[in-house]
Amino acid sequence: MTTRRDALKISGLALGAGLALPYLGRSARAEGVDTAALLQPGPLGDVWLGPADAKCTIIEYASMTCSHCAAFHRNTWPTLKERYIDTGKVRFTLREFPLDPLATAAFMLARCEGDSKYYPITDLLFDQQPAWAFTQKPVDALEQMLRQAGYNKQTFEACLKDQKVYSAVNAVKQRGLDVFKVDSTPTFFINGERYTGEMTVEGMEKVIKPILGA
């Protein structure tokens, strides 16, 4: 399990530009879980998009350093949000499942500035993943990038030392692992049914449309 010391030492990691993180996902398949348990939030709460009474609920477990998660957020997420979340048909939340200390740090930085900055920061980091995750000095790259989100050196370092946020991020991952058997990223739960692996808009619509009666 990632330790807080690991998270604070990530600046020393030799993450070269050519590093390819292992793909832990598989082809999408449906498996059910206890929906009531699944909807219980972690220590920092869930940051939901879309109305609470939407017919379809999507929970995504992702890692900020997962290239397939980044591909989903670049290629599928904008259309999914426009067609279904912004129109009130789907409710969505992203949950933390960091695969390494750098991903833990990235999620901490997304959380420290409050719920309103969660998606702007995670979207930015997914969109620009190669510019910080696969560099020789990833922490320096993160610090520079997150100046766009209002961080300065002091607030950046303070966030990475915040034990409450660190423990909360890891608690979400551990519960996903222990209770819902999440073992790869991205993993999606759509109305309680689990689908593993990067999903296209078309693949998601095959699941979403029957739920919506479309």
Side-chain angles (χ1 to χ4, degrees), residues 23 25-30 188 194-199 203 207:
Y23 173 42
R26 296 182 292 275
S27 298
R29 68 181 189 279
F188 302 92
R194 174 171 44 204
Y195 298 83
T196 57
E198 182 185 337
M199 296 182 74
V207 181

Side-chain angles (χ1 to χ4, degrees), residues 95-188:
R95 285 183 180 168
E96 299 90 345
F97 199 87
L99 297 177
D100 51 63
L102 184 58
T104 302
F107 272 126
M108 290 173 68
L109 292 161
R111 283 290 194 171
C112 280
E113 288 294 284
D115 289 357
S116 65
K117 293 286 187 73
Y118 186 63
Y119 288 108
I121 290 176
T122 54
D123 285 348
L124 171 66
L125 295 183
F126 276 133
D127 288 344
Q128 302 296 322
Q129 190 186 74
W132 62 271
F134 308 140
T135 64
Q136 292 291 341
K137 296 182 177 181
V139 177
D140 290 347
L142 270 176
E143 183 182 342
Q144 290 299 317
M145 190 169 294
L146 289 182
R147 290 180 185 275
Q148 301 176 47
Y151 275 99
N152 57 40
K153 186 174 182 63
Q154 290 71 35
T155 55
F156 181 87
E157 292 180 352
C159 178
L160 293 184
K161 294 176 182 177
D162 191 320
Q163 182 63 50
K164 177 183 176 182
V165 177
Y166 170 81
S167 298
V169 166
N170 277 296
V172 173
K173 176 185 178 179
Q174 199 61 45
R175 187 165 185 263
L177 188 66
D178 295 341
V179 178
F180 308 118
K181 309 306 177 187
V182 177
D183 61 1
S184 62
T185 58
T187 291
F188 302 92

